[in-house]
Amino acid sequence: MALVTFLSDFGDKDYYVPAVKAKMLAINPQLNIIDISHNIETFDLAHAAFILRATFRDFPKGTVHLVAINTTGSMTQGYIGVKLEEHIFIGPNNGILSLLADQDPGIMVQFADIHIKDTSFPTKDILAPIAAKVASGAAIHDFGGPLTKFRKLMPRNAKATREQIIGHVARIDRYGNLITNIKKEVFEKLNPGNFTIEFGRETLQKLNTGCDQVEPGDCFAYFNSLDLLEIGINHGHGANLLGLRVDSVVHINFNS
């Protein structure tokens, strides 16, 4: 299956997205191009990495993922292709691909100069043709050699002791729910049975199975489909009503 996903911060008001798709389809009209999102906050590598990390494993192995975030920024050190968990990623070497998993990719390729054009639109002129050709059967090795300098960004991880987990809000969704970086597996290993979740001025002493398990206007906390702690207010914009934002601290205190 010639399948390409497309993630960018281009939005949907300009010609950028259709121009990139047209470039790929001109190479292989049979490509199946799936939009993950084009409404990433501009230049926000962490936002894009969170969305891609949350979704790429649900696509078939062998899928090619075209990642176009800040492709012309000063952080970008060329353009690369990597293979991670049987998925192929094509994008800038600006650290975004280092945030997709806890381990480094198994294969990393630096695209050769012959494929790098002098362009103000590298997603269309450099990355899109390579993505289309790889999805059509080419290998990423066909476009360059081993990557010697993989730019890495350090994710913010929760800190845990036997007494407490200190995490942070990683994302706020369109409903105002706050997704944290506190992982279910860490909580389950440490939880003695009694705990208190603290966020803003609120405290909870139990977990729910979903946001609809509490009355409208009440706070909830549960581990979502990503196995990350999510908090909010049923039928309310939790971030606004609780006065929380990205990077706000969330505590889980364990009571022995």
Side-chain angles (χ1 to χ4, degrees):
M1 181 188 301
L3 179 62
V4 178
T5 75
F6 188 12
L7 176 70
S8 80
D9 58 359
F10 294 159
D12 55 11
K13 295 182 179 180
D14 299 296
Y15 71 94
Y16 307 126
V17 170
V20 173
K21 290 183 178 181
K23 189 74 170 184
M24 290 191 283
L25 291 170
I27 293 171
N28 181 356
Q30 303 303 314
L31 284 179
N32 187 8
I33 303 172
I34 305 296
D35 296 302
I36 291 182
S37 177
H38 300 295
N39 292 308
I40 301 299
E41 295 295 332
T42 52
F43 314 122
D44 192 337
L45 302 183
H47 183 193
F50 181 89
I51 297 297
L52 191 54
R53 179 168 178 150
T55 56
F56 84 83
R57 295 179 181 86
D58 293 325
F59 288 95
K61 291 182 178 180
T63 297
V64 175
H65 304 275
L66 175 56
V67 184
I69 310 292
N70 203 18
T71 55
T72 60
S74 59
M75 290 178 61
T76 295
Q77 300 174 347
Y79 304 98
I80 62 176
V82 306
K83 187 174 184 179
L84 173 69
E85 299 179 23
E86 302 302 317
H87 291 253
I88 302 295
F89 299 86
I90 307 293
N93 186 19
N94 58 14
I96 186 172
L97 299 184
S98 71
L99 298 174
L100 301 183
D102 296 331
Q103 73 278 4
D104 285 346
I107 297 174
M108 298 184 283
V109 172
Q110 176 85 46
F111 295 142
D113 290 344
I114 191 173
H115 301 289
I116 306 300
K117 303 176 181 179
D118 185 12
T119 174
S120 63
F121 196 174
T123 302
K124 175 190 173 187
D125 297 328
I126 299 171
L127 300 178
I130 295 175
K133 292 172 184 177
V134 171
S136 301
I140 54 175
H141 293 100
D142 296 341
F143 302 94
L147 176 64
T148 57
K149 189 175 182 181
F150 183 45
R151 188 176 181 95
K152 291 186 177 182
L153 298 176
M154 296 300 295
R156 169 171 276 187
N157 295 316
K159 298 179 180 180
T161 67
R162 292 183 180 274
E163 293 78 30
Q164 186 182 61
I165 299 175
I166 303 175
H168 296 82
V169 175
R171 296 308 316 164
I172 299 172
D173 70 14
R174 66 176 304 223
Y175 300 100
N177 298 338
L178 303 121
I179 303 171
T180 76
N181 61 354
I182 298 175
K183 298 179 180 179
K184 183 178 181 180
E185 62 177 340
V186 175
F187 171 80
E188 290 184 338
K189 286 180 181 178
L190 297 173
N191 179 23
N194 297 311
F195 59 88
T196 301
I197 304 171
E198 297 181 0
F199 48 97
R201 298 180 179 179
E202 300 293 330
T203 61
L204 295 174
Q205 294 181 316
K206 69 174 185 177
L207 288 169
N208 309 109
T209 57
C211 59
D212 59 347
Q213 299 299 305
V214 300
E215 294 295 323
D218 287 347
C219 293
F220 62 80
Y222 70 98
F223 284 99
N224 62 20
S225 61
L226 302 175
D227 286 337
L228 296 174
L229 183 70
E230 183 169 331
I231 58 180
I233 296 176
N234 189 17
H235 287 202
H237 195 286
N240 291 341
L241 295 172
L242 295 168
L244 300 177
R245 54 183 176 81
V246 172
D247 285 337
S248 290
V249 178
V250 176
H251 294 88
I252 301 181
N253 299 309
F254 298 114
N255 309 310
S256 57

